Amino acid sequence: MGKMNQEVILKVKNLVTAFDTEEGRIRAVENVSFEVKKGQTMGIVGESGCGKSVTALSIMRLLPKPTGMIESGQILFHDNDIATLPAEKMHEIRGYGISMIFQEPMTALNPVHKIGRQLGEVFQLHFPKMNDKEIREKSVEMLQKVGIPEPVQRMDEYQHQISGGMRQRVMIAMALAGEPDILIADEPTTALDVTIQAQILKLMEALQRETGMAIIFITHALGVIAEICDDVLVMYAGTVAEKAPVVELFKDPKHPYTRDLLSSIPRLEGKRKTRLNVIRGMVPSLYELPAGCRYQNRCPYAMQGCEIESPPLKSVGEKHFAGCFLM
Ligand code: SF4
């Protein structure tokens, strides 16, 4: 997306996020590091269970309690380390600094309040000086911005009266009302049809241009990443497999997993949608992670040594890193 300011506003350093389960402690995110720049979009891609949503929930400090925890590492936002911030301070950051759009808007909207009231509450919280009339005007304007037809009428409706696509737009409106520095979007469009998906992505881009917010876009779809991201983090089984500017990643993918992912993107050929390749094998369970490289059971290049140590991320080009012993 934007190429404006290169200022780093979020720095995740060696993040380890763990869950206590009946079968012991598992690490869903292990040693993940990345930076997010103002006005730019960072994509986090990987199959389900790779740790991308847990990374997002760690940044928001919304891990399920008491089982989930940030075990070590830092999440630096302005002068704060989110990993260790007191709960009240974190509440503030979730309001003003970092907002998140979840996969399932049904669960995030309150069913008993009208849409206008829920959106109004966000404005009220962020702009305490606004009066009721201004809040209502701002809310209508925001609904209009996210492409909701007849916004004045929608203000007085409840979530069950509008479609899934509209609910997702209301969620985006609420996430943006506080003018966050960072918007985290976790598969925000997967439940929507293709046309609406495209509209929502366009809308996020437009708002980013307008406000300079950074976006962390989480998805399993590399196609979407190609369209909207500046930088990409490829995650596999809780670790970073590869990290690169988006053009570089598509032009010269280094990690065997990234290459496999790229060759499994469904393409439109003629009128038929074909899936070229399916990556063989399964993602290892977090309960039974292999020693060494986590991709070894699926990797066509696995060699002696891959099962002993885990490969560190190595620089393989300008701002391009991959964690594989082939590098
Ligand atoms: Fe494959 Fe070994 Fe590289 Fe892992 S470290 S991706 S198993 S070659």
Side-chain angles (χ1 to χ4, degrees):
M1 286 192 194
K3 286 274 172 287
M4 45 178 95
N5 202 322
Q6 300 284 307
E7 180 197 339
V8 172
I9 54 170
L10 186 81
K11 211 175 206 171
V12 177
K13 277 163 107 180
N14 304 320
L15 177 69
V16 180
T17 302
F19 290 90
D20 278 332
T21 74
E22 283 176 8
E23 285 144 82
R25 182 166 287 195
I26 55 163
R27 295 197 171 81
V29 167
E30 184 112 43
N31 225 2
V32 166
S33 300
F34 61 93
E35 288 177 356
V36 180
K37 298 186 196 100
K38 190 172 186 300
Q40 300 228 323
T41 300
M42 157 67 91
I44 305 184
V45 68
E47 291 159 282
S48 64
C50 70
K52 50 195 198 304
S53 295
V54 175
T55 302
L57 292 175
S58 306
I59 296 170
M60 294 298 286
R61 277 268 296 274
L62 290 175
L63 294 163
K65 277 183 210 159
T67 50
M69 77 212 76
I70 295 173
E71 204 181 66
S72 60
Q74 289 182 309
I75 302 171
L76 302 172
F77 175 63
H78 295 300
D79 292 328
N80 300 304
D81 180 5
I82 286 178
T84 55
L85 220 55
E88 327 78 78
K89 199 85 201 246
M90 196 54 225
H91 189 72
E92 250 171 57
I93 287 188
R94 274 199 294 271
Y96 300 86
I98 312 177
S99 294
M100 182 160 171
I101 311 171
F102 296 88
Q103 284 172 33
E104 191 30 270
M106 256 321 232
T107 54
L109 280 175
N110 186 329
V112 303
H113 294 316
K114 289 178 181 168
I115 285 157
R117 169 164 170 193
Q118 296 187 59
L119 186 53
E121 276 173 2
V122 185
F123 281 110
Q124 207 165 30
L125 193 71
H126 298 299
F127 307 100
K129 289 204 183 107
M130 270 189 204
N131 63 33
D132 289 355
K133 186 166 168 277
E134 285 167 330
I135 287 177
R136 193 164 169 95
E137 277 167 14
K138 274 276 192 191
S139 302
V140 171
E141 193 189 307
M142 190 47 106
L143 289 180
Q144 199 153 25
K145 256 191 191 163
V146 299
I148 291 185
E150 299 174 71
V152 177
Q153 194 181 320
R154 293 288 105 77
M155 291 279 287
D156 294 317
E157 291 179 347
Y158 296 92
Q159 66 153 22
H160 66 267
Q161 293 174 286
I162 58 174
S163 68
M166 287 299 147
R167 275 198 292 270
Q168 189 61 291
R169 284 163 191 247
V170 173
M171 288 310 301
I172 294 176
M174 285 173 65
L176 295 171
E179 299 181 1
D181 294 340
I182 304 174
L183 176 72
I184 303 180
D186 188 358
E187 306 260 19
T189 59
T190 32
L192 307 175
D193 78 50
V194 191
T195 326
I196 296 173
Q197 269 186 35
Q199 284 171 6
I200 288 194
L201 295 181
K202 276 221 172 69
L203 167 75
M204 285 171 49
E205 271 183 291
L207 290 165
Q208 183 178 49
R209 269 197 300 274
E210 198 181 306
T211 64
M213 70 179 175
I215 300 176
I216 300 178
F217 197 90
I218 297 177
T219 181
H220 64 281
L222 266 171
V224 180
I225 293 273
E227 266 176 59
I228 65 161
C229 294
D230 297 290
D231 295 304
V232 191
L233 191 74
V234 180
M235 287 188 70
Y236 188 77
T239 57
V240 175
E242 188 159 359
K243 189 159 63 171
V246 70
V247 177
E248 173 88 7
L249 189 94
F250 279 83
K251 200 178 69 194
D252 193 15
K254 297 285 193 194
H255 197 286
Y257 176 57
T258 313
R259 289 192 215 158
D260 286 345
L261 259 188
L262 281 169
S263 66
S264 67
I265 299 182
R267 281 162 221 242
L268 283 172
E269 282 176 11
K271 285 216 168 75
R272 273 183 45 226
K273 208 174 181 188
T274 49
R275 191 167 256 279
L276 295 180
N277 261 313
V278 174
I279 307 179
R280 66 231 137 242
M282 301 266 288
V283 183
S285 152
L286 292 174
Y287 294 97
E288 300 166 289
L289 285 173
C293 175
R294 294 183 180 180
Y295 199 51
Q296 61 187 269
N297 64 325
R298 305 172 86 181
C299 179
Y301 308 98
M303 54 197 163
Q304 221 180 3
C306 293
E307 77 287 6
I308 300 170
E309 263 180 77
S310 41
L313 271 188
K314 271 196 219 143
S315 169
V316 291
E318 214 200 318
K319 298 185 197 152
H320 191 169
F321 301 85
C324 167
F325 288 123
L326 290 172
M327 310 299 136

